């Protein structure tokens, strides 16, 4: 199999996405620390909670459900879409609740709830958009320089063919779509900040109907956004999906800000 040259537009899209995915979380962290005087620990609790609940516990469930039960997007797509969105909502929002109610209990306020959201969404952006983008960028540059061809030549034929098959997405994907990853990560960060503020409001409200309603609202919004994101490609263009996710994320943040008491600012 032959390696095709990667276009300059595709490389520019990856670079843009990496800058957004890694630069925006850093900029928001600095702003939260300097402007709002939020604790640095709130950022890392948000990041750690995401790693524990989304990257570890949720993935363990996926192994059980997807690998052992045979559930996948090909065999039963709509059931898979519901399951994937529900799992993400349950694990991430439950992690948020636990973190704010117990791990941040002594200093939980608006600035630190916001900083938690920056950490949660920020580490996701860095891992899914930043690091993966860097990996793609390195592969693209190696392909265009000829270094990848030399590397493949040293591999057994079967391994080389598998590697080329995996790399083929780098030149078969339309170049403009490489810009989408960064935009997608910004939407996710906005959503996680908004959901964090909703959970913050639920925790601060204590044991009452407002607390229950706000918590259920956060779970519900997370499920709806994730379901739209995973099921949408089956019947909508990617740009419509990204616009829809951004609108829902921004709407969640605006609603959370309006629902909350802003005296703490």
């Amino acid at each position: 199999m032959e390696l095709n040259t990667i276009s300059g537009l595709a490389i520019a899209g990856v670079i843009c996405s990496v800058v957004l995915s890694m630069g925006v979380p850093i900029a928001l962290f600095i702003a939260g620390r300097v402007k709002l005087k939020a604790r640095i620990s709130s950022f890392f609790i948000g990041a750690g909670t995401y790693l524990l609940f989304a990257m570890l516990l949720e993935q363990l469930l996926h192994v059980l459900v997807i690998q052992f039960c045979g559930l996948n997007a090909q065999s039963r797509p709509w059931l898979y879409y519901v399951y994937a969105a529900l799992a993400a909502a349950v694990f991430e929002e439950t992690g948020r609740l636990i973190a704010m109610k117990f791990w941040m209990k002594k200093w939980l306020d608006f600035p630190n709830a916001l900083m938690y959201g920056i950490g949660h969404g920020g580490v996701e952006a860095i891992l899914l958009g930043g690091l993966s983008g860097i990996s793609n960028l390195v592969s693209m540059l190696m392909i265009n320089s000829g270094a990848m061809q030399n590397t493949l030549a040293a591999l057994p034929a079967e391994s080389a063919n598998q590697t080329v098959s995996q790399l083929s997405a780098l030149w078969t994907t339309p170049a403009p779509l490489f810009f989408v990853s960064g935009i997608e990560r910004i939407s996710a960060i906005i959503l996680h900040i908004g959901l964090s503020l909703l959970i913050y409001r639920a925790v601060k409200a204590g044991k009452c109907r407002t607390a229950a309603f706000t918590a259920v609202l956060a779970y519900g919004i997370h499920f709806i956004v994730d379901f739209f994101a995973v099921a949408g490609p089956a019947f909508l263009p990617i740009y419509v999906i990204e616009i829809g996710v951004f609108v829902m994320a921004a709407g969640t943040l605006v609603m959370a800000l309006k629902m909350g008491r802003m005296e703490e600012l």
Side-chain angles (χ1 to χ4, degrees):
M1 297 180 68
E2 295 291 332
L3 296 173
N4 292 354
T5 301
I6 310 297
S7 71
L9 183 60
I11 293 174
V14 172
I15 292 174
C16 178
S17 291
V18 169
V19 170
L20 289 175
S21 298
M22 303 191 79
V24 170
I26 293 172
L28 290 175
F29 169 78
I30 294 173
R33 179 61 180 164
V34 174
K35 297 293 185 181
L36 299 180
K37 309 300 181 185
R39 296 168 64 109
I40 294 175
S41 58
S42 297
F43 177 91
F44 286 104
I45 288 175
T49 302
Y50 170 78
L51 293 174
L52 174 60
F53 281 84
M55 299 301 289
L56 178 59
L57 298 179
E58 184 183 342
Q59 300 310 312
L60 290 175
L61 178 64
H62 290 338
V63 170
L64 294 174
V65 173
I66 296 175
Q67 293 190 14
F68 289 99
C69 298
L71 178 63
N72 56 64
Q74 287 71 43
S75 61
R76 288 171 286 179
W78 291 104
L79 180 60
Y80 172 80
Y81 298 149
V82 171
Y83 159 73
L86 186 61
V90 169
F91 277 95
E92 293 188 52
E93 297 314 310
T94 301
R96 237 185 286 267
L97 268 171
I98 292 173
M100 292 189 184
K101 191 166 186 178
F102 299 104
W103 304 337
M104 297 172 62
K105 182 177 181 180
K106 293 182 179 180
W107 66 84
L108 182 61
D109 56 16
F110 178 87
N112 283 293
L114 191 146
M115 184 66 103
Y116 173 96
I118 295 172
H120 188 128
V123 73
E124 181 184 59
I126 291 170
L127 291 175
L128 302 186
L131 297 183
S132 64
I134 291 174
S135 176
N136 286 337
L137 180 60
V138 170
S139 295
M140 287 175 163
L141 296 177
M142 288 182 67
I143 290 171
N144 284 1
S145 68
M148 185 64 74
Q149 188 69 53
N150 295 333
T151 301
L152 293 174
L155 298 176
E158 184 177 352
S159 298
N161 288 334
Q162 290 178 349
T163 302
V164 172
S165 178
Q166 294 170 354
L167 292 173
S168 64
L170 298 178
W171 60 78
T172 58
T173 300
L177 290 184
F178 285 103
F179 290 89
V180 170
S181 177
I183 299 171
E184 186 179 71
R185 289 304 102 209
I186 291 177
S187 296
I189 292 172
I190 293 172
L191 178 66
H192 283 304
I193 292 174
L195 292 173
S196 296
L197 294 179
L198 287 177
I199 294 297
Y200 155 69
R201 179 167 171 77
V203 171
K204 297 298 281 189
K207 296 181 180 179
C208 65
R209 290 183 179 179
T210 299
F213 170 79
T214 309
V216 170
L217 182 63
Y219 279 86
I221 290 173
H222 198 145
F223 170 80
I224 291 170
V225 174
D226 276 23
F227 180 80
F228 179 74
V230 297
F235 54 91
L236 290 173
I238 187 65
Y239 69 88
V240 174
I241 296 170
E242 294 306 324
I243 292 173
V245 169
F246 179 81
V247 169
M248 287 188 283
T252 300
L253 179 57
V254 170
M255 178 179 63
L257 289 172
K258 287 185 176 181
M259 288 176 66
R261 295 180 178 274
M262 303 308 295
E263 291 86 353
E264 296 181 71
L265 287 171

